[in-house]
Amino acid sequence: MEKESQIPGKIKSLLEPACQIARLDTGNGRVYYDIAAANESLRHYFYGVTSVLDGALAKGYGYNKWLGDSLSYSHALDYAMEKADAGTLVHAIIDDLNAGITVDTDAGWYNERKDKTVPITDLNKTMVEAYIKFYQENSVDIVASEITLYNPKRYKNRHQEGYRYPFAGTADIVCKIPDKKGNLRLAIVDVKTGNEYPKSHELQLTAYKILYDSLHGSAFGDIDDLYCLYLKKTGNYKLVKYNYQPEVWYMVYDLFNYMISNKLGKMPVIKEKKQKPRYYSLDQSGEKTDGSNNRKETAI
């Protein structure tokens, strides 16, 4: 199960992903895969929606100017990673809030990339306050938070066979929002702490709707509306509604595949990095001890 909701009156449990999903970062972006598959040869790796968009679409003049004005490429990357960390922090707090958890900001936030706990800044808090403002002003009813969307369904026809939805992603929020007439509409809301990139964001939400509808539409209904929620440094927010553009999304997806394939059309081979053992011991029995002569866990 995903996280249990503690919000009174809300749906008690959030939606389940179709598989046990893991993520792997590669040279062409992040891939999602089912770790329950018996071995790597039986796994299929689906590139993440944002990786597809980053690999196929130009970032535009503003991005190119920022990169060109930077002290160095490494300096630009460091800055981008810091911004990404701040966004991840805000998303993590929002995910806890959506589950009904009261967040103690004095406890800080564990930054996995840096392997240490970092303080939650006033700017982070301001963006969280903007989210709370959105939640309260729009009578939001949370259905799912940070839900993985991965559908391994296959197809076969007289021409070929393959996967119906060969891409994956993580939707920030699935929720119900009343329209002006008070009718509840099911929406995907993607939370943004940075700039607006309308074309890219519209296609990101489109891909999420395709995946969500294929996985949960029959049981819970298809997605009605697509939104990006832009959290501002002022503590305000901007909620932008986007159109559903499946034809354009699949064109971009095909372009991404073309760009990362070799001249023969062969896609890159994904190789999982072998995980190092957790425990090491000179004890040849192959068991871990806790220091009190009690054998506890098998070591490698």
Side-chain angles (χ1 to χ4, degrees):
M1 280 292 221
E2 301 280 331
K3 197 175 293 182
E4 289 293 316
S5 173
Q6 302 172 24
I7 306 173
K10 304 300 181 198
I11 292 177
K12 294 299 182 183
S13 59
L14 304 184
L15 303 178
E16 297 181 21
C19 309
Q20 188 178 358
I21 305 303
R23 300 171 180 84
L24 176 68
D25 290 324
T26 74
N28 292 302
R30 176 166 293 181
V31 295
Y32 292 65
Y33 63 96
D34 181 4
I35 60 176
N39 56 61
E40 290 182 40
S41 65
L42 297 177
R43 293 175 182 166
H44 191 83
Y45 302 90
F46 295 161
Y47 282 97
V49 169
T50 54
S51 294
V52 171
L53 293 168
D54 287 345
L57 299 183
K59 295 183 183 295
Y61 171 78
Y63 174 83
N64 292 335
K65 185 177 185 304
W66 164 76
L67 189 60
D69 289 343
S70 298
L71 296 176
S72 67
Y73 184 67
S74 296
H75 182 269
L77 286 182
D78 289 343
Y79 175 80
M81 290 303 297
E82 289 295 328
K83 298 289 283 185
D85 286 346
T88 302
L89 185 159
V90 172
H91 277 76
I93 294 176
I94 289 172
D95 189 34
D96 281 346
L97 292 176
N98 288 341
I101 297 170
T102 299
V103 177
D104 178 7
T105 57
D106 283 352
W109 175 72
Y110 176 70
N111 185 319
E112 189 173 349
R113 183 175 69 88
K114 295 181 176 179
D115 192 24
K116 67 177 183 179
T117 298
V118 298
I120 296 173
T121 68
D122 282 350
L123 178 57
N124 300 147
K125 294 177 183 180
T126 297
M127 290 192 169
V128 170
E129 289 168 0
Y131 174 75
I132 294 172
K133 187 175 181 181
F134 151 76
Y135 177 89
Q136 294 175 342
E137 290 183 351
N138 292 275
S139 302
V140 176
D141 187 353
I142 301 295
V143 175
S145 183
E146 291 291 326
I147 180 172
T148 303
L149 301 172
Y150 175 102
N151 189 346
K153 186 176 182 180
R154 297 183 65 88
Y155 73 89
K156 186 175 183 179
N157 58 35
R158 63 191 180 88
H159 301 294
Q160 58 184 337
E161 63 177 302
Y163 291 91
R164 288 191 180 276
Y165 310 98
F167 48 90
T170 303
D172 289 341
I173 302 167
V174 179
C175 62
K176 294 178 181 179
I177 301 177
D179 61 16
K180 292 181 179 180
K181 295 181 179 179
N183 300 314
L184 288 178
R185 293 178 64 82
L186 189 62
I188 290 178
V189 178
D190 199 74
V191 179
K192 303 294 185 185
T193 57
N195 297 328
E196 295 182 42
Y197 295 99
K199 297 296 186 183
S200 177
H201 294 167
E202 184 165 75
L203 293 178
Q204 180 185 358
L205 288 163
T206 290
Y208 289 168
K209 172 175 164 57
I210 292 170
L211 290 167
Y212 179 91
D213 290 352
S214 72
L215 290 163
H216 306 293
S218 59
F220 299 98
D222 290 347
I223 296 295
D224 296 311
D225 299 316
L226 303 173
Y227 295 100
C228 272
L229 174 65
Y230 299 98
L231 304 179
K232 303 299 183 179
K233 297 177 181 179
T234 59
N236 293 318
Y237 67 88
K238 183 178 179 182
L239 185 64
V240 179
K241 186 176 182 179
Y242 286 108
N243 295 319
Y244 180 53
Q245 302 281 8
E247 295 84 3
V248 182
W249 161 253
Y250 280 110
M251 287 168 51
V252 171
Y253 174 77
D254 288 342
L255 177 60
F256 171 77
N257 283 345
Y258 173 78
M259 294 300 293
I260 69 171
S261 63
N262 65 18
K263 62 182 180 180
L264 300 176
K266 186 176 180 181
M267 294 289 284
V269 176
I270 305 297
K271 292 185 178 180
E272 294 178 35
K273 186 178 179 181
K274 223 172 185 181
Q275 295 294 318
K276 293 290 187 182
R278 179 178 176 183
Y279 301 110
Y280 290 90
S281 173
L282 296 179
D283 180 357
Q284 297 301 308
S285 68
E287 293 180 319
K288 174 183 174 292
T289 67
D290 62 2
S292 58
N293 296 321
N294 295 321
R295 303 288 180 183
K296 297 186 73 176
E297 300 182 40
T298 300
I300 296 177

